[in-house]
Structures are given as structure tokens and as C-alpha cells.
Amino acid sequence: MGFKCGIVGLPNVGKSTLFNALTETAAAQAANYPFCTIEPNVGQVAVPDPRLDELAEIAGSAKKIETQLSFVDIAGLVRGASKGEGLGNQFLANIRETDAIIHVLRCFEGEVTHVEGKVDPIADADTVETELMLADLESLEKRVPNLVKKAAQGDKEAKAAASVLGEALDLLRDGKPARLTQPKDEDERRQFDQAQLITAKPVLYVCNVDEGAAADGNALSAKVFDKAASEGAKAVVVSAAIEAEIVTLAADDRAEFLSDLGLEETGLARVIRAGYDLLHLLTFFTVGPKEARAWTVEKGSRAPQAAGAIHSDFERGFIRAETIAFEDYSACKGEAGAREAGKLRSEGKDYVVHDGDVMLFRFNV
């Protein structure tokens, strides 16, 4: 199961620098001019989780495998992108294929040319959001009238789609993103999700600050946090320049470097975790002598779906899931101790997986 976060923003806000640091590569060309990223770059990034380290140590696992997210570096959007400016149509199509949007905003002064001529992260956010809303507006203005006609002819699916997408269209006409739409039932929810509206995707604002503001942010990033709070979105502070430097250091030197800057962890770790939360994901684990491994499923998933994340045969032939909460596995020093303490549970098909569950699936195909 793959989950993609698309990294967007105006040119020269630090998108590609952030992407390079995330993936610890130079896969995206970072340069001081617009549109240096023409094709979207995709990087697989491990989700940091100290629980996996502990599980591997307790079980004596030969190796550990983190769960991963995909990050897509999408070329800089500019005013007029919804009408094709700056190769906008291609970029909008790339955004549409992602599950969430990570919106990088420049919150630092400096010599790097700003495409709008001034540093104003709120104005930048509004510019990009407006282009995304205009793209959705154009799409729905073509689709909704046809759906209304089909609904009038008795088409049940068209009726649900016309209702929920009509609401989204009204919001967009008022200058509001489609994510504020409230589907009335499961049919409307399904139709809304299938529409793949760009502004329906959850958003994380990443405030790219200079080195001195990496720990606590600055006045510009504070404005972004206020904006995120008003929208029910999330925001994090990162110094892309620091992150780019960190990935060049040996692993043993990184902690000291962060400490000298007054940081407890990298900004990238915060971005990855926030992206994970943004997509409403949780982690469960499988543990054995060969490997300890983290797996990803959406919150609310049941045990057979979790089994299916490992292999489709596990889901098809699911019998039960032997389950131990991470805290119990840790406290009891492993499966044997958890079993003796009565902390190992046998869960059936209706069990809703909890974050941190250590699971062993029994199946028959």
C-alpha cells in the first residue's frame, strides 16, 4: 500500500532542497531559478519510530525494516498555473495523483530570488491555494451540470455525486477549498473521494526558516501557524539548509550537530511524522528472529486488512490475529512474557487495529 505526499510551493522556496534532504539524495536539482524541477521526483522515506528499535532488540531480530512514505517533488507553481502558466497543467496533474499536499512556504529573507519579489508566506500560500481552487472549479463546472441531469433521470449514483460535488462547487465559488465539504452519507463520501479534487486533500504547511529560527520559528512562521490553526491544517518549522547539511554528516555526528543548534530531532523527522498523521495512518508491527518490521494501514482498518498489507493471501485466508500491545510487549520483554502475563489476545475479523499492535496472523489459503 503506497501513500504519496506531494511537495508543492512557489519556485525558490526550498522545495527541492527539502526533498533532497528527505531522500538523502540529489535526485532533485536544487537551483536558484524557477522550474529547475520539470518532472516530478519520487523518493521513498523511512518513517522514524523508536518502538521498532526496541522491538528488534527484545526479539533479537537480525534486521529491522521501517514503514515508508513516498514524497513527490512537484515543480514550482506560479500565478496562472490553473491556466497553464509555468507548465501548470502538467504540475496540477501530478498533484492530483498524491494523497496529501505538503506546502513549503518561504519564511526567511535572503539573496535567493523570490518569484513574487517579496517574502510573504501567507500571500504565497494564497497564490498556490487559489490556483488549486481554480483548477478544481474548472473541473466541477464542467461535471456538475451533467450529474444534475442524470440525477433528474433517476440515476442514484449521479444524485449522490451531484449533491456532494455541488456543495464543493459552491465552496470553491466562495473562494474556499473543497476539503470543507461535508458528505451526508457513505455514498456521498465515495463520490467525493472518487472526484480526486486537489483542494480536498489534507495540507501540511512547512515553514522553511533560516538557521537561527530552526528551533523556535520566527514572526513569519508564526503567521503560518495561525493560518493552519484557522483551517484545521497542520504546520511544522524546518530549516531546509540545516537539513541538507545534516544528511552529509556521519550518523554518529548528527546528534551533536543538532544539540549545538538547540534541536532535539531533525526537522525532517517532524515533517515525516506530520505527513503520516495527515494521512490518518497508523503503524503495526511483526516481530521475529529474522526481522522486526513496521507496517502501515489507515486508521480504522480491521485485522484482515492489516494482514492484507503484508500479503493478499493473508487477508483472503485470514483466521485470527495473535495481538500484543506494544507497551505490553515491552513491559513483558517479548512474546513469551506477554503470553504468560495474559497480554496476548486472539483477535478475529472485526478487530480494529491499534497503533503499536504487535501482530502474528494465522491464515489458511
Side-chain angles (χ1 to χ4, degrees):
M1 186 183 295
F3 297 93
K4 286 185 178 180
C5 296
I7 304 177
V8 305
L10 295 178
N12 296 344
V13 297
K15 281 189 316 84
S16 294
T17 302
L18 180 71
F19 175 83
N20 291 344
L22 273 168
T23 57
E24 300 194 23
T25 70
Q29 178 191 4
N32 182 21
Y33 56 89
F35 311 121
C36 59
T37 311
I38 302 302
E39 296 295 332
N41 294 274
V42 182
Q44 292 290 115
V45 179
V47 177
D49 194 329
R51 295 176 299 182
L52 183 63
D53 299 330
E54 185 174 343
L55 291 171
E57 183 176 350
I58 291 172
S61 304
K63 62 179 179 178
K64 59 186 179 185
I65 303 175
E66 297 94 344
T67 191
Q68 295 189 329
L69 283 182
S70 292
F71 286 86
V72 185
D73 181 27
I74 299 170
L77 289 173
V78 295
R79 196 182 304 279
S82 61
K83 301 298 181 185
E85 293 294 327
L87 303 179
N89 291 334
Q90 178 184 346
F91 303 152
L92 290 168
N94 293 331
I95 297 169
R96 207 177 293 278
E97 294 173 0
T98 64
D99 301 302
I101 294 173
I102 293 181
H103 192 161
V104 182
L105 296 169
R106 177 171 171 174
C107 295
F108 65 91
E109 302 287 350
E111 297 178 359
V112 178
T113 305
H114 190 287
V115 72
E116 294 282 354
K118 62 178 180 178
V119 177
D120 185 343
I122 303 302
D124 291 355
D126 290 343
T127 294
V128 173
E129 181 96 316
T130 296
E131 295 305 322
L132 301 184
M133 286 193 292
L134 287 171
D136 281 346
L137 184 63
E138 182 181 5
S139 169
L140 290 186
E141 284 184 331
K142 293 176 181 177
R143 295 167 64 182
V144 170
N146 291 330
L147 290 168
V148 171
K149 288 179 183 178
K150 290 183 179 179
Q153 296 167 359
D155 187 319
K156 288 184 64 177
E157 288 198 0
K159 183 178 180 180
S163 173
V164 72
L165 297 182
E167 181 186 342
L169 179 56
D170 289 340
L171 284 166
L172 291 162
R173 284 172 172 164
D174 287 342
K176 299 174 182 176
R179 72 181 69 93
L180 299 179
T181 304
Q182 300 291 327
K184 298 179 183 66
D185 53 37
E186 284 303 313
D187 288 340
E188 287 198 2
R189 167 57 63 187
R190 186 176 66 255
Q191 293 295 334
F192 184 68
D193 291 344
Q194 288 176 355
Q196 289 190 303
L197 299 175
I198 298 172
T199 62
K201 300 178 187 298
V203 173
L204 168 68
Y205 294 111
V206 173
C207 304
N208 185 15
V209 300
D210 54 27
E211 181 177 313
D216 301 312
N218 56 25
L220 291 172
S221 66
K223 292 180 180 179
V224 177
F225 272 74
D226 288 343
K227 174 180 173 61
S230 71
E231 299 174 352
K234 294 179 181 291
V236 296
V237 169
V238 169
S239 171
I242 289 177
E243 303 300 325
E245 188 171 349
I246 288 173
V247 298
T248 66
L249 300 175
D252 293 343
D253 297 332
R254 294 182 184 183
E256 182 178 353
F257 180 79
L258 287 169
S259 179
D260 289 344
L261 293 171
L263 301 173
E264 294 182 1
E265 63 177 353
T266 66
L268 299 183
R270 292 196 298 272
V271 170
I272 295 165
R273 278 203 304 275
Y276 204 69
D277 290 340
L278 200 65
L279 291 167
H280 303 293
L281 305 177
L282 61 79
T283 301
F284 73 91
F285 302 97
T286 54
V287 183
K290 291 185 177 180
E291 67 177 34
R293 183 161 182 166
W295 302 87
T296 298
V297 290
E298 294 180 344
K299 290 178 181 176
S301 295
R302 300 187 185 276
Q305 293 172 282
I310 299 174
H311 197 286
S312 58
D313 284 350
F314 285 25
E315 181 173 8
R316 190 166 61 250
F318 179 88
I319 299 173
R320 67 181 186 277
E322 296 181 358
T323 306
I324 307 168
F326 167 77
E327 292 78 9
D328 293 333
Y329 192 100
S330 174
C332 298
K333 302 302 180 186
E335 180 181 333
R339 189 185 297 272
E340 289 177 11
K343 298 296 185 180
L344 186 150
R345 312 183 309 273
S346 182
E347 302 289 1
K349 293 182 178 181
D350 293 332
Y351 175 70
V352 177
V353 179
H354 291 73
D355 187 64
D357 278 348
V358 180
M359 307 184 83
L360 173 64
F361 296 105
R362 302 296 184 184
F363 68 100
N364 181 28
V365 177

